[in-house]
Amino acid sequence: MGFSVTITSSIILIVLLALSSTFLITIFQGLKEILYIADEYVNRGREKIDVALQLEVHPINATSLNITIKNIGSRVVFFKSQSGYKWNTIILSYGNSSFWTSYPIENYDILEVRVSGTNYIFTPDNHSYIDAGEEALVFLSIPSGAPEIPLNGLVSVVFVTHYGVTAKGEAVRTQ
């Protein structure tokens, strides 16, 4: 009876050590993943805090409009598409009391990039981003087949960056 009890106790001890070490490894791996996710979350939040934009909608006609996007934050906002990926999206909503429609627009033209408050202009081909203290004049058209922007209709434009930060502006079509 003495020898079998020792063998059985040894087997139980080995099994308990294996289970507890597996359990501890699982806990440490889980903590490691949680810390990684928390770090990524904080870094992403810091990125969003560093991005600040202002948007102004210029005179509107029935099928197109210009907007000015000012970068008042410290992060660079890129415009140029890469391999079919668009860095930013513009959401255009317009209507009046009888209808309201919205469209995501990724085909827009950067007309010019300038240092805010000056006449110093960069060419959009060589400077396809806005750094802190710069602004871009953007031209966009409503999609083909979409109803025209009604006279005295409200137009709302939201510029969504690749950081997830948005800027919004509104105007009324008067011409």
Side-chain angles (χ1 to χ4, degrees):
M1 179 164 137
F3 187 66
S4 63
V5 170
T6 305
I7 291 175
T8 305
S9 298
S10 299
I11 292 172
I12 291 173
L13 183 62
I14 291 170
V15 169
L16 286 175
L17 285 173
L19 287 175
S20 63
S21 59
T22 304
F23 179 71
L24 288 174
I25 289 171
T26 304
I27 287 176
F28 287 131
Q29 187 64 29
L31 287 174
K32 182 179 166 186
E33 289 295 320
I34 288 171
L35 289 174
Y36 174 76
I37 290 169
D39 186 49
E40 287 296 312
Y41 180 78
V42 167
N43 288 339
R44 189 76 174 130
R46 188 174 302 130
E47 251 183 16
K48 285 185 176 184
I49 289 172
D50 292 343
V51 178
L53 301 171
Q54 290 179 339
L55 189 139
E56 181 182 342
V57 181
H58 298 288
I60 304 162
N61 68 33
T63 59
S64 63
L65 60 132
N66 290 332
I67 61 173
T68 300
I69 302 162
K70 294 180 183 178
N71 185 351
I72 57 174
S74 61
R75 289 267 180 179
V76 176
V77 177
F78 298 97
F79 291 117
K80 197 171 203 173
S81 65
Q82 294 177 333
S83 304
Y85 174 76
K86 301 291 187 178
W87 284 97
N88 310 293
T89 300
I90 297 174
I91 300 171
L92 174 66
S93 300
Y94 59 91
N96 56 22
S97 59
S98 62
F99 80 97
W100 193 261
T101 187
S102 297
Y103 299 99
I105 298 177
E106 292 188 344
N107 295 323
Y108 49 85
D109 296 317
I110 307 300
L111 300 178
E112 66 182 34
V113 177
R114 74 172 61 224
V115 176
S116 294
T118 69
N119 290 328
Y120 189 82
I121 297 175
F122 302 102
T123 58
D125 294 334
N126 298 333
H127 195 87
S128 60
Y129 56 88
I130 50 175
D131 207 349
E134 295 177 354
E135 61 188 47
L137 180 62
V138 179
F139 173 80
L140 58 120
S141 298
I142 63 172
S144 61
E148 291 185 348
I149 299 170
L151 195 59
N152 297 321
L154 179 65
V155 176
S156 177
V157 180
V158 179
F159 182 78
V160 184
T161 67
H162 56 284
Y163 297 111
V165 176
T166 62
K168 182 180 178 190
E170 293 182 334
V172 175
R173 178 180 168 216
T174 56
Q175 310 176 15

